[in-house]
Amino acid sequence: MANERILFMKYKNFLIRLFDLILVLGLLAGYQAVIYSRDKEATIAELKSQVNQLQGEKEDILEAAKNSGKLGEGGTSAGQAGTYKDGTYTGSSQGFGGEIKVKVTVSGEKISAIDIIEASGEDEAYLSMAKDIVKTILDKQTTDVDTISGATYSSTGIKNAVGQALEGAAK
């Protein structure tokens, strides 16, 4: 009987220690869950704040673009048909090998012609590929078009030069 009592006491102590260990681990897990929840809530609040800030910046950019003539009425692209004054306008921008100058003709409130009047520093191979952007701008009536792959800098120069010319034509 004495041996059974000693054995019972050993198991009793073991069970008490096991229970204490489980209790401590449970408390730690609960604490971690609370901390994680608070961090998650703080992160969500921070992200919402950043979204609000970016929306405000977007509105500021749109307003600045409207005031600069790059956007027409209602925030539409200044490159959309019906947003230009008739006339002939010139613009220039940096291309691959130098400055590209263009002449843009607006007729019936639409872009009717784009002529490259100077691109002396451009490599002829790149320039000939880049000229395809002119047709795209005329078709879409906007400079909001993709550049020409393989002639990115030259086509960007043409696109930006046309955009600069159209700034003077924007209503």
Side-chain angles (χ1 to χ4, degrees):
M1 181 108 169
N3 285 340
E4 290 176 359
R5 188 162 172 80
I6 292 173
L7 188 59
F8 174 75
M9 292 301 283
K10 283 184 182 180
Y11 282 122
K12 180 181 173 185
N13 287 338
F14 172 76
L15 290 174
I16 290 172
R17 288 182 182 175
L18 181 63
F19 178 77
D20 289 345
L21 178 65
I22 291 171
L23 182 63
V24 168
L25 290 175
L27 289 172
L28 285 173
Y31 178 75
Q32 276 301 107
V34 168
I35 296 300
Y36 176 75
S37 174
R38 287 181 183 167
D39 286 346
K40 188 176 177 182
E41 289 172 6
T43 301
I44 290 171
E46 184 179 331
L47 288 173
K48 285 181 180 179
S49 171
Q50 289 175 353
V51 166
N52 289 336
Q53 180 182 358
L54 289 173
Q55 286 175 338
E57 289 175 11
K58 175 186 169 191
E59 291 170 6
D60 292 344
I61 291 169
L62 285 173
E63 186 64 31
K66 285 179 191 175
N67 293 337
S68 72
K70 291 184 179 183
L71 288 182
E73 292 299 315
T76 59
S77 170
Q80 293 179 351
T83 60
Y84 297 119
K85 296 180 279 187
D86 288 356
T88 302
Y89 306 90
T90 59
S92 63
S93 184
Q94 184 67 32
F96 178 75
E99 188 175 55
I100 298 174
K101 294 181 182 178
V102 298
K103 178 176 78 172
V104 178
T105 304
V106 176
S107 176
E109 298 185 344
K110 293 184 178 185
I111 306 168
S112 58
I114 300 171
D115 299 308
I116 299 171
I117 54 177
E118 186 182 324
S120 58
E122 291 299 299
D123 181 280
E124 190 56 42
Y126 292 130
L127 185 61
S128 65
M129 289 182 358
K131 287 180 181 179
D132 289 344
I133 201 167
V134 170
K135 181 182 179 331
T136 306
I137 292 171
L138 288 170
D139 288 345
K140 294 191 175 189
Q141 290 294 300
T142 182
T143 56
D144 189 19
V145 297
D146 293 335
T147 57
I148 305 299
S149 180
T152 304
Y153 292 110
S154 297
S155 60
T156 299
I158 294 170
K159 175 178 151 176
N160 291 343
V162 170
Q164 184 186 43
L166 291 174
E167 285 180 16
K171 286 186 171 181

